[in-house]
Amino acid sequence: MKNIQLIVLGFAFLLATSCQSKTKQHTISENASEKEATPEKIEKLSRQDLSKYETAYFASGCFWCVEAIFESVRGVQEVISGYAGGTEKNPTYEMVGSGQSSHAEAVEVYYDPKVISFVELVQVFFGSHDPTTLNRQGPDRGTQYRSIAFYKNDEEKKIIESYIRALKEQNVYSGATITTEVTAFTKFYEAEDYHQDYERKNPNNSYIRNVSIPRLNRFKANFGEYLKEEAH
């Protein structure tokens, strides 16, 4: 497990640990809610409620893991799992999960810019996965698991590119190539209902126990000051 020194533009340095998952059998049966799981009742904000917040889009491996990480961050109001970065219309999990599309598993993050900035969300993004493993996060392999930071305007693009440049200048990854794609945002497709809040609804799922929760806990250990009060 490598230590990653993260640089927020113009701010002090931060140390974080990259997340490495162990195993994931990405099959339809694995995605179905397991019988022994105790679903958590989750209050969801309406689209109208969410419309007053800003959005950001990232892809960094299994969206079950990524959704749970961003949900724990202060200022984040909602996170939706889905697909982005490809050209096919209305992709399904069967298409994306099997690598038969050009999309990646991604998340749509609704956040309050008065509480957390886009710069800080970019820091969370890089601090919660390994951007040097091409088309892979741990054992999850394929272009559907590639690292992508999406931008909606020139300012967001500048922030992402400047952050990557700072990581390179500081040799944070010991010379390893940062493979993160910096991509203009075009369209986000919401994933099937059973993928939403999957980690919280299915705590006894084997992948959640062995991969998602450990990855989330590693993030929490390194980003305590970014967490919601209830996430500590």
Side-chain angles (χ1 to χ4, degrees), residues 19 60 65-66 69 128-129 211-219:
C19 296
S60 57
C65 303
V66 184
I69 287 168
S128 59
H129 81 296
V211 180
S212 295
I213 292 176
R215 179 176 173 179
L216 175 61
N217 287 339
R218 285 192 291 270
F219 170 76

Side-chain angles (χ1 to χ4, degrees), residues 85 146-152 160 180-186:
R146 67 191 186 275
S147 174
I148 312 174
F150 295 93
Y151 62 88
K152 297 184 299 176
I160 297 166
T180 299
E181 298 176 10
V182 181
T183 303
F185 175 75
T186 55

